Amino acid sequence: MNAVSASCGGAGYWQQRADVVVIGTGVAGLVAALAAVREGRKVVVLSKIAETATFYAQGGIAVVLPDAFCAGGDSVEAHVADTLAAGGGLCDVDAVRSIVADGYPAVADLVDAGARFDESAPGHWSLTREGGHSRRRIIHAGGDATGAEVQRALDHAAARLDIRRNHVALQICHDGDTVTGVLVHSDDGPGLVHAPSVILATGGLGHLYAATTNPDGSTGDGVALALQAGLSVTDIEFIQFHPTMLYTGPAGGRRPLISEALRGEGAVLVDSRGDSVTAGVHPLGDLAPRDVVAAAIDARLRATGEACVYLDATGIDDVHRRFPTVTAACLAAGIDPATRPIPVVPGAHYSCGGVRTDVHGRTELPGLFAAGEVARTGMHGANRLASNSLLEGLVVGGRAGRAASAHARQAGPVTAVASAAVRLPALDRNMLQRNMSRHASVVRDADGLGQLAAVLADAPQRTVTDRDTAEDAALTRAARAIVAAALARTESRGCHHRGDHPETDAAQAVSISVRMNAAADPAVVIPVGAG
């Protein structure tokens, strides 16, 4: 889509004005919108689909509690150290410390909004431990339904917000210097929302792959919108494959997540013969960081030719009560986790990279902000530490809402203009997912990535007029960025595993940014310093 001019336009579109537009209704989006409303701004929230990735988050929120509540000797510096260890040398240390340090106040705000977490005793939250954490610092709700509780509390608080349902963002409008609004498709057709501040909170890109833990709307929209507006995305090759997604057969689509909190409570990963999957792979064994465990499972499946491995949770006391969400998913598939090991495989789960921002959600384009999974703050580096995602969404979402409010107040009214027709490369989704799953999954290599790049280069131009074509175009653009970065990173680091370059190369301990030209092909890869 072409950059827009500052002159008045938009004939044929319905039109709306706002100070701040928030795209997305998960944790980052709603926290951002509520923060902007508290600052006195007029906020419009665009919601493409009711489901959010936040709702499906099981494990919890990683947060360092005040000393009065913390019997485990935890500290901000210990949480920072664990995050850096998981991040494979690509975390921004200052960003990590800033976000971790503000974790408890952000959670306290969530509690004020009505969220309730499980308690070990009255007034004391119950803490669990997950992969990569050296302490029990994960607070949770409903056993393994933390995301559902967070979403419930935020939805209740957001009842006063102006949320536009079935609205798909097609273009970030700008005049070359600053944001002027958003081009949108809704049930009423195309429209323009004129606004000086826009916050991307669109979530992830799991539906690049045939099977994922993500809801249907996770199609890389925010990454694609930013690339389309001329911005860069960073660390986009680092896609986290959750080690334990419920395996029920070869069918694609969203599959239930089997929380790694089960491993934190003693569940073990074994193959069909009962042999440990992670023994000798990492000192933490089944509680190693997610990339290590996912790669170990992938290697075992390649060696055995079997379709899945098994998570044996039969030794956990009262597993039904402690993990009701997992239990329900397993029982629906005919598996009782109290008596039978759970079949699992790695599944596309979380994008560690995204639109490059600072810790307040600011991008390189004034007026455009990003928060949550769509953003790359430097928090996650090459691999996200378990349960740091809700933490980042809470902290940076609130900061982005306040920063967007300040920008809107300073910028004043603006007028957006959009091009008359939007034509973008958009590959057939099934073809894209098959090729991404085959060539850009847990383990990649140059030959497969090259074949994938060729398929993406042949994507036909399609007119973007509705949600389906917008999502196909977004997936295609995001896939091109991922392939470009994955080809450029000729090493294995974090959750990026190259079968033809299995070792980590110290010389490549830098992040990679991708920026696209007007045709979105070829992608331009720009090495930048870590952080």
Side-chain angles (χ1 to χ4, degrees), residues 13-340:
Y13 298 116
W14 58 260
Q15 301 193 37
Q16 173 73 40
R17 290 195 172 273
D19 298 318
V20 178
V21 176
V22 179
I23 308 175
T25 53
V27 58
L30 291 184
V31 168
L34 289 166
V37 166
R38 284 194 293 270
E39 295 290 321
R41 304 280 76 78
K42 180 181 180 180
V43 179
V44 169
V45 182
L46 306 180
S47 173
K48 181 179 75 171
I49 185 173
E51 284 187 314
T52 69
T54 296
F55 177 83
Y56 288 106
Q58 291 181 4
I61 305 173
V63 59
V64 177
L65 303 182
D67 291 342
F69 296 93
C70 189
D74 201 5
S75 68
V76 167
E77 288 308 311
H79 190 173
V80 169
D82 289 346
T83 301
L84 298 180
L90 296 188
C91 296
D92 181 323
V93 179
D94 292 337
V96 173
R97 184 171 290 111
S98 172
I99 293 168
V100 167
D102 268 0
Y104 181 72
V107 169
D109 286 343
L110 186 62
V111 171
D112 288 343
R116 296 294 176 263
F117 297 101
D118 297 338
E119 295 183 334
S120 57
H124 294 268
W125 286 330
S126 176
L127 301 177
T128 191
R129 182 182 170 199
E130 295 182 347
H133 288 273
S134 61
R135 310 283 200 282
R136 285 182 170 264
R137 65 168 68 98
I138 315 299
I139 62 172
H140 46 82
D144 57 356
T146 307
E149 173 61 11
V150 170
Q151 191 71 54
R152 181 203 64 77
L154 289 174
D155 284 344
H156 177 75
R160 59 192 172 118
L161 297 179
D162 182 1
I163 299 178
R164 309 296 178 90
R165 306 293 180 183
N166 301 318
H167 280 54
V168 181
L170 303 181
Q171 175 191 17
I172 302 301
C173 302
H174 62 92
D175 60 11
D177 295 318
T178 189
V179 163
T180 56
V182 187
L183 173 65
V184 180
H185 178 80
S186 73
D187 294 340
D188 296 323
L192 279 171
V193 183
H194 308 274
S197 291
V198 174
I199 303 174
L200 300 173
T202 53
L205 38 72
H207 282 269
L208 283 166
Y209 298 88
T212 176
T213 65
N214 293 179
D216 287 345
S218 299
T219 52
D221 299 8
V223 165
L225 288 168
L227 286 167
Q228 198 174 331
L231 279 69
S232 61
V233 296
T234 301
D235 292 336
I236 199 67
E237 70 272 31
F238 297 110
I239 298 171
Q240 188 177 79
F241 290 81
H242 197 285
T244 52
M245 181 176 68
L246 180 64
Y247 179 75
T248 55
R254 195 193 78 81
R255 292 181 182 170
L257 172 71
I258 305 300
S259 171
E260 69 187 275
L262 273 84
R263 284 177 278 136
E265 298 298 330
V268 294
L269 281 164
V270 296
D271 60 21
S272 61
R273 297 178 301 180
D275 295 332
S276 170
V277 173
T278 61
V281 173
H282 191 280
L284 290 175
D286 288 346
L287 284 175
R290 289 176 173 176
D291 64 298
V292 175
V293 179
I297 294 173
D298 184 79
R300 186 62 57 90
L301 295 178
R302 289 173 184 266
T304 63
E306 295 180 340
C308 65
V309 297
Y310 299 88
L311 183 66
D312 188 348
T314 58
I316 298 178
D317 292 336
D318 203 5
V319 67
H320 290 179
R321 179 194 59 79
R322 173 64 180 85
F323 298 101
T325 304
V326 167
T327 296
C330 290
L331 291 176
I335 302 157
D336 184 348
T339 61
R340 176 182 165 190

Side-chain angles (χ1 to χ4, degrees), residues 322-531:
R322 173 64 180 85
F323 298 101
T325 304
V326 167
T327 296
C330 290
L331 291 176
I335 302 157
D336 184 348
T339 61
R340 176 182 165 190
I342 305 165
V344 294
V345 292
H349 183 56
Y350 191 88
S351 176
C352 298
V355 183
R356 190 177 181 88
T357 75
D358 65 11
V359 294
H360 295 274
R362 302 184 188 94
T363 73
E364 58 194 289
L365 176 63
L368 184 63
F369 302 80
E373 188 174 353
V374 69
R376 184 272 186 191
T377 60
M379 174 76 171
H380 308 305
N383 189 33
R384 176 177 68 92
L385 186 65
S387 290
N388 268 356
S389 55
L390 291 177
L391 167 71
E392 185 188 41
L394 287 170
V395 173
V396 182
R399 291 176 177 180
R402 291 186 288 273
S405 297
H407 176 84
R409 184 171 56 248
Q410 182 179 18
V414 295
T415 298
V417 181
S419 52
V422 180
R423 287 183 60 80
L424 295 172
L427 198 65
D428 172 79
R429 188 177 309 196
N430 289 331
M431 179 183 290
L432 183 147
Q433 289 175 336
R434 286 196 305 272
N435 280 274
M436 286 292 290
S437 298
R438 181 177 181 183
H439 298 303
S441 189
V442 177
V443 179
R444 305 101 179 249
D445 60 41
D447 288 344
L449 290 168
Q451 293 177 49
L452 177 55
V455 170
L456 292 168
D458 287 337
Q461 295 280 328
R462 293 162 62 185
T463 301
V464 178
T465 57
D466 56 18
R467 174 183 161 184
D468 287 344
T469 52
E471 289 184 339
D472 287 355
L475 288 167
T476 300
R477 191 174 291 260
R480 285 179 166 178
I482 290 165
V483 171
L487 278 168
R489 186 169 294 283
T490 53
E491 63 160 354
S492 292
R493 180 184 296 273
C495 51
H496 169 74
H497 293 267
R498 284 283 296 261
D500 50 349
H501 296 281
E503 303 299 325
T504 299
D505 178 6
Q508 296 190 50
V510 294
S511 291
I512 291 173
S513 290
V514 179
R515 192 188 301 270
M516 294 184 172
N517 61 20
D521 185 27
V524 180
V525 180
I526 310 165
V528 298

